[in-house]
Amino acid sequence: MGHTRLVVIGGDGSLTGANLFRQEWSSLLDELLSTGKITQDQRTKNKSLNVAGMAGLIDNEFCGTDSALHRTIEAIDTIVSTAYSHQGTFIMEDMVRNSDYLAIMAALACEADFVFIPERSVGQRLNISIVSEGAIDCEGKPSTAEKVKQVVVDKLHQDTRITVLRHVQRGGNPSAFDRVLGCRMGTEAVLALMEADDKTEPCVVLLDGNQAVRVPLTECVERTKAVARTMADKNWEMAVELRGRSFARNLETYKMLTRLKPQKAVMHISAMACDMNAAVRSFVRNCIYRGNSVISIQEGIEGLVAGNIKYMGWSDVTGWVGQGGAFLGTKCTLPERKFKGDAARLKEHVIQALLIIGGFEAYHAAGQFTDQRDNYKEFCIPFVVIPSTISNNVPGTEFSLGTDTGLNEITEICDRIRQSAQGTKRRVFVIETMGGYCSYLATLPGLVGGAGAAYIYEEKFSIKDL
């Protein structure tokens, strides 16, 4: 057939098999030549095989992972309300055997009280527990959902139910992120093959820092084998390290958010964006975990001047992760012309650090506070900004809080409108998105939603173009 450029999409087994296939390619051609199935000219023309791998599996931050995580969160959310209203324990078993990414991320996103993974089991209370399919105890023995249930029933005498997700995680429509990721990685794989020659080492197309990168296939296979070896040797710390910095940080964040231990403040300055509440919850519990008291400032700068301030406890932010909106309230007012009142409130409540969650207004507010440090010593404290705007138009980050949720909402609406459009003739459907002078929310949905055209601020157009 003359096909010498191969894209392999799959997990460790598929990629390992592709590498072996490439290594044996020359001997396979010799075998075909000796049996007369190909000619010497065909043997010479197709002497080498170029391979580009694409990781397509749900268990390790590749194509399909975000969609599987959506399924997991949806399943847990449907059970959470029942769990909170009953004196019982609910155990969720995910399907991934030897990787814990889904379990850790689901535990973070759904406020699970306990998570069982191969590296270690962490948590505090037992209300919602997540068990990775391949979880093991410190002796290397399987920690199945049934065993966890038996311990809870025997020791705590609680009514305990098990929900096994399994193939539910693999099904359903892909999320907006996975659609974009698949497009980008497929393009990169084609470019890798087109640029390859006889001496090019096979590669795997991966995502690193939101950029598609090419990594030698043999390196990826060896790293996977190294994780398996450290697990067999019960070297849990090294196994976590080999999973990567992102996994290690997620695990540490989950441990901090689920451990209760004995003056910082948090506020919003900008238009509302989804996931503001999740950021506040994480900030509050991390501070309490580290021994700090936390103050919430309601309604932004105006609330600070008016003294609309509340001390936050551990339970005050329970359930905030999955809730949209901004429970603290948010306004776009900047501190200029209110510096005296702001300084007085910071001094009154002995606020020693301030987290501002928001878009460009948050950036400007932090800058105005620091510019006034010579005039108000109360502003000589750390200021930190978390970018939060659905427009994704602030510097310093490729993603801001609320952007992916906004993108998913637009994608879902486009999918519904497309179904109606396909059943009509001579009709055009126009969808207007937010975003101001940044067209992220128009460009990406145009890509993943199959729009006929996307008219954006960055590319000028006229009536003639329309």
Side-chain angles (χ1 to χ4, degrees):
M1 297 295 290
H3 298 310
T4 58
R5 301 178 188 274
L6 182 65
V7 175
V8 180
I9 305 174
D12 297 332
S14 300
L15 298 179
T16 301
N19 189 41
L20 292 174
F21 185 38
R22 180 180 180 276
Q23 293 173 354
E24 298 175 0
W25 180 256
S26 181
S27 62
L28 292 173
L29 291 180
D30 292 336
E31 182 179 338
L32 293 174
L33 180 63
S34 64
T35 57
K37 294 183 178 180
I38 62 173
T39 65
Q40 181 61 49
D41 182 61
Q42 290 175 317
R43 169 68 175 83
T44 304
K45 184 178 180 180
N46 303 288
K47 62 180 179 179
S48 61
L49 175 69
N50 292 309
V51 176
M54 287 178 57
L57 62 165
I58 68 171
D59 54 355
N60 199 15
E61 299 185 81
F62 296 126
C63 290
T65 304
D66 188 62
S67 299
L69 185 58
H70 276 239
R71 309 288 174 269
T72 306
I73 293 173
E74 289 170 4
I76 296 176
D77 283 348
T78 59
I79 292 178
V80 164
S81 57
T82 303
Y84 282 151
S85 60
H86 289 77
Q87 292 297 318
T89 297
F90 289 79
I91 300 173
M92 311 289 292
E93 179 181 308
D94 75 11
M95 118 174 257
V96 181
R97 182 173 300 278
N98 295 317
S99 175
D100 321 306
Y101 177 81
L102 281 179
I104 287 295
M105 295 303 288
L108 275 172
C110 299
E111 301 185 52
D113 303 296
F114 219 98
V115 59
F116 295 84
I117 57 176
E119 287 80 5
R120 63 182 65 187
S121 299
V122 293
Q124 184 169 335
R125 295 172 292 119
L126 284 176
N127 189 248
I128 294 290
S129 298
I130 298 177
V131 181
S132 175
E133 189 179 20
I136 54 178
D137 61 20
C138 57
E139 299 298 327
K141 299 178 181 179
S143 293
T144 65
E146 288 291 345
K147 288 185 177 180
V148 174
K149 174 183 177 180
Q150 194 60 46
V151 171
V152 175
V153 172
D154 293 344
K155 301 296 184 180
L156 302 179
H157 308 292
Q158 286 191 354
D159 180 28
T160 305
R161 307 296 175 88
I162 296 176
T163 299
V164 181
L165 299 179
R166 294 195 182 278
H167 292 281
V168 171
Q169 294 171 288
R170 294 192 187 274
N173 296 326
S175 66
F177 180 82
D178 273 337
R179 297 185 195 191
V180 174
L181 182 61
C183 293
R184 293 176 55 190
M185 295 181 73
T187 301
E188 188 66 26
V190 171
L191 293 175
L193 288 179
M194 298 302 294
E195 296 169 5
D197 54 31
D198 295 345
K199 299 181 181 179
T200 301
E201 186 177 359
C203 68
V204 179
V205 179
L206 302 176
L207 195 67
D208 184 11
N210 197 37
Q211 299 297 322
V213 298
R214 305 171 192 176
V215 179
L217 190 151
T218 53
E219 178 182 325
C220 294
V221 173
E222 178 54 37
R223 190 177 185 88
T224 300
K225 293 179 179 179
V227 173
R229 287 195 297 267
T230 56
M231 296 290 291
D233 295 337
K234 301 177 183 179
N235 189 347
W236 318 123
E237 287 74 16
M238 179 58 68
V240 171
E241 183 177 336
L242 289 173
R243 296 287 191 195
R245 290 176 296 176
S246 175
F247 177 84
R249 184 56 183 162
N250 288 333
L251 178 60
E252 181 63 24
T253 299
Y254 175 76
K255 289 191 291 184
M256 288 191 295
L257 294 178
T258 53
R259 292 178 180 175
L260 178 59
K261 287 189 177 181
Q263 183 126 299
K264 297 177 172 60
V266 57
M267 68 191 304
H268 300 314
I269 303 179
S270 77
M272 190 278 295
C274 291
D275 297 332
M276 282 182 162
N277 292 328
V280 173
R281 171 187 176 269
S282 180
F283 176 76
V284 169
R285 290 198 171 180
N286 271 282
C287 287
I288 295 175
Y289 170 81
R290 297 175 183 276
N292 302 111
S293 59
V294 190
I295 293 175
S296 67
I297 301 172
Q298 315 285 322
E299 306 297 337
I301 292 296
E302 295 181 14
L304 176 61
V305 175
N308 193 0
I309 292 172
K310 174 186 176 183
Y311 283 85
M312 303 293 287
W314 186 274
S315 61
D316 290 332
V317 292
T318 298
W320 282 31
V321 168
Q323 298 294 320
F327 290 162
L328 299 187
T330 180
K331 292 187 177 181
C332 297
T333 306
L334 295 176
E336 55 187 356
R337 295 189 295 274
K338 297 183 178 67
F339 292 125
K340 186 175 181 180
D342 294 332
R345 292 301 183 187
L346 293 179
K347 181 178 180 180
E348 175 185 351
H349 294 278
V350 196
I351 295 175
Q352 300 170 333
L354 178 60
L355 169 65
I356 306 174
I357 303 173
F360 265 119
E361 294 83 0
Y363 282 59
H364 286 305
Q368 290 178 7
F369 278 132
T370 54
D371 289 342
Q372 292 293 319
R373 282 176 169 170
D374 291 339
N375 300 323
Y376 301 94
K377 65 178 182 180
E378 290 81 5
F379 296 157
C380 296
I381 61 174
F383 290 95
V384 176
V385 175
I386 295 181
S388 178
T389 168
I390 66 171
S391 302
N392 203 35
N393 61 347
V394 291
T397 179
E398 295 190 27
F399 287 110
S400 59
L401 292 183
T403 300
D404 187 61
T405 301
L407 179 58
N408 274 285
E409 289 294 326
I410 298 171
T411 302
E412 181 180 349
I413 292 170
C414 289
D415 287 345
R416 294 177 180 177
I417 292 177
R418 188 191 308 109
Q419 292 178 5
S420 176
Q422 290 171 345
T424 60
K425 296 181 179 180
R426 300 184 61 81
R427 183 174 296 173
V428 176
F429 288 79
V430 179
I431 300 172
E432 179 180 320
T433 66
M434 296 181 69
Y437 299 112
C438 176
S439 303
Y440 182 89
L441 289 181
T443 305
L444 269 294
L447 175 63
V448 303
Y455 298 99
I456 60 177
Y457 173 79
E458 290 82 356
E459 294 183 351
K460 303 303 180 183
F461 61 93
S462 64
I463 296 298
K464 182 179 180 181
D465 297 319
L466 295 176

